[in-house]
């Protein structure tokens, strides 16, 4: 599978951005999807994840809960990350990822080792 992330850019604190991740290859709707980010000098961390299927559940990092929303459009093979009330500490390269296991049961994973395919990343810079 190939994942292509887009939508990053420069935004002022308090602003909004919408990231997209288009997938090709495997049956998109049957895999949970996640967003992770890596800030300069820091390790990559979990941001949000959404379960497979049409009726979905989501998981969020505490740092973005209430500000970010993950969603998916299975008809377009795309997962989105709507980011509102952005803060300078949200500055990072954002990566989308696809679950390693088809139709995984339970809540969508928050650990990086649960994901097998990764996009190239898109840079989000939030100025103060």
């Amino acid at each position: 599978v190939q994942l292509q992330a887009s939508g990053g850019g420069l935004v002022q604190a308090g602003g909004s951005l919408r990231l997209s991740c288009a997938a090709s290859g495997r049956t998109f709707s049957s895999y949970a999807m996640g967003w992770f980010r890596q800030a300069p000098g820091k390790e990559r961390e979990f941001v949000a994840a959404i379960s497979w299927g049409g009726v979905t559940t989501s998981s969020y990092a505490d740092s973005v809960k209430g500000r970010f929303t993950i969603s998916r459009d299975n008809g377009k093979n795309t997962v989105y990350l709507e980011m509102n009330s952005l803060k300078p500490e949200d500055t990072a390269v954002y990566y989308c990822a696809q679950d390693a296991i088809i139709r995984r049961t339970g809540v969508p994973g928050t650990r990086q080792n649960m994901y097998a395919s990764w996009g190239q990343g898109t840079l989000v810079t939030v100025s103060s």
Side-chain angles (χ1 to χ4, degrees):
V1 63
Q2 291 185 334
L3 302 175
Q4 182 71 41
S6 61
L10 174 64
V11 63
Q12 287 189 332
S16 299
L17 278 176
R18 187 196 200 199
L19 305 183
S20 300
C21 175
S24 63
R26 301 187 294 182
T27 307
F28 176 78
S29 63
S30 296
Y31 291 88
M33 299 293 296
W35 284 97
F36 294 78
R37 68 186 181 186
Q38 187 167 20
K42 295 187 177 181
E43 293 186 351
R44 190 160 58 184
E45 64 178 5
F46 169 75
V47 176
I50 188 166
S51 61
W52 62 275
V55 179
T56 57
T57 57
S58 305
S59 302
Y60 295 94
D62 288 343
S63 59
V64 307
K65 215 171 278 186
R67 300 188 297 122
F68 291 11
T69 302
I70 189 170
S71 62
R72 64 189 301 157
D73 184 335
N74 293 328
K76 295 182 178 179
N77 278 18
T78 301
V79 62
Y80 303 97
L81 186 67
E82 185 75 35
M83 305 185 296
N84 299 313
S85 302
L86 282 162
K87 305 175 181 179
E89 51 264 44
D90 294 318
T91 294
V93 177
Y94 284 71
Y95 299 90
C96 59
Q98 188 174 67
D99 200 329
I101 296 177
I102 192 169
R103 302 188 187 97
R104 185 192 298 266
T105 58
V107 297
T110 62
R111 301 193 312 271
Q112 295 183 50
N113 62 7
M114 298 176 75
Y115 294 85
S117 301
W118 294 81
Q120 85 289 357
T122 185
L123 176 62
V124 172
T125 304
V126 184
S127 63
S128 57

